[in-house]
Amino acid sequence: MNYVLILLITILTIIFTLEMYHSMRRSNTNSHLIEKYRNDLQNKELLAEIYAYCQQDYKLRRIIKQNNLTLKDMENIYQKLLLWGNFHKGRRFVPITAFLYVCTLKYLCQHKDDDAKELTMKCMNFLHI
């Protein structure tokens, strides 16, 4: 019985550590992209970096694949988010941050043809802005 408990605690600790690493990596990428492109929001390299990050992240990659999200789709969504969400709040900037979280990316993929204001407001709610 004690061995089972120790094994369970060990497995949970490993899972927790991996998820914290994933969260910190995402947070660092988010901050880096915001700072790097703060004054150059129309730079095409920004979207290429976001797309590359999404392809490297195992959770985001699945969403992109399931929804057949292309770089062109991402650019259209980005421009919509930039229209209504072009302001910084803490370490968040909706046009960038929304692509890095599972729930917001999933929403953006499923509603990529929706109105710009509606998309932005929903992402702001998801991100608690």
Side-chain angles (χ1 to χ4, degrees):
M1 185 72 165
N2 287 335
Y3 294 116
V4 173
L5 185 60
I6 291 171
L7 180 63
L8 180 64
I9 291 173
T10 303
I11 290 170
L12 289 174
T13 302
I14 291 169
I15 291 170
F16 174 78
T17 304
L18 291 172
E19 286 299 317
M20 287 304 298
Y21 172 77
H22 181 263
S23 177
M24 293 299 292
R25 184 171 169 252
R26 179 186 56 223
S27 181
N28 288 338
T29 300
N30 183 53
S31 295
H32 168 74
L33 291 173
I34 290 170
E35 287 304 313
K36 183 175 180 180
Y37 296 102
R38 180 179 290 268
N39 298 317
D40 193 12
L41 297 174
Q42 295 300 329
N43 191 327
K44 299 291 183 196
E45 290 178 19
L46 169 60
L47 289 172
E49 285 191 49
I50 293 172
Y51 195 76
Y53 175 81
C54 291
Q55 290 297 327
Q56 293 173 356
D57 185 278
Y58 70 97
K59 293 178 181 181
L60 302 176
R61 183 176 48 237
R62 286 187 211 150
I63 295 169
I64 287 177
K65 193 173 186 177
Q66 287 172 351
N67 294 283
N68 298 317
L69 186 70
T70 64
L71 192 55
K72 181 66 177 160
D73 293 333
M74 192 175 273
E75 184 176 344
N76 292 337
I77 294 168
Y78 174 78
Q79 292 303 325
K80 287 180 180 184
L81 295 174
L82 197 57
L83 183 64
W84 286 92
N86 191 1
F87 60 90
H88 298 268
K89 180 165 182 196
R91 294 174 48 143
R92 294 188 179 108
F93 180 61
V94 173
I96 293 174
T97 308
F99 290 104
L100 305 180
Y101 286 84
V102 171
C103 59
T104 52
L105 182 62
K106 193 174 200 175
Y107 176 80
L108 291 173
C109 288
Q110 293 170 347
H111 299 274
K112 60 186 169 192
D113 297 323
D114 285 5
D115 177 60
K117 185 176 181 181
E118 186 178 330
L119 274 179
T120 306
M121 297 305 280
K122 193 70 156 182
C123 288
M124 289 171 65
N125 286 336
F126 276 129
L127 299 170
H128 303 289
I129 295 176

